[in-house]
Amino acid sequence: DEQVSHAAELDERILMGLRVREGIHFERFTQQTGKELLPLLNAAKLSRFVSEGYLYQDDTCIAPTSKGALVLNHITHELLS
């Protein structure tokens, strides 16, 4: 199904984007996918990970901190659930 494969592609972009130090730039993600990033993520969990120091977020991007890089599999699973 095309919709499922597009959703899987978006999830993969998010997973891969968070694995690099610079994280995911919102504008670039939108240009590449046609979707805005933040509505695809669990907002409550994102806020918690930022406040607990696992992720960095500003007006342009979201990125793992060194603390977050250690538990990135858990973070990405939670953000996409």
Side-chain angles (χ1 to χ4, degrees):
D1 181 85
E2 188 175 318
Q3 190 173 12
V4 171
S5 65
H6 185 65
E9 179 186 333
L10 291 172
D11 285 357
E12 183 67 21
R13 282 191 179 272
I14 293 167
L15 291 169
M16 297 309 293
L18 288 176
R19 294 201 185 290
V20 294
R21 185 179 240 19
E22 58 270 4
I24 303 171
H25 290 266
F26 300 138
E27 187 176 317
R28 188 177 317 135
F29 184 87
T30 302
Q31 288 172 348
Q32 293 173 341
T33 66
K35 300 277 187 183
E36 290 188 24
L37 175 63
L38 293 178
L40 300 173
L41 304 177
N42 182 311
K45 291 178 182 177
L46 173 60
S47 178
R48 188 181 93 223
F49 290 135
V50 170
S51 69
E52 292 177 356
Y54 292 101
L55 294 173
Y56 167 81
Q57 180 182 356
D58 65 17
D59 292 341
T60 63
C61 72
I62 180 173
T65 62
S66 3
K67 179 180 174 181
L70 299 174
V71 290
L72 200 52
N73 286 340
H74 173 72
I75 289 172
T76 53
H77 174 74
E78 291 293 310
L79 288 175
L80 294 172
S81 63

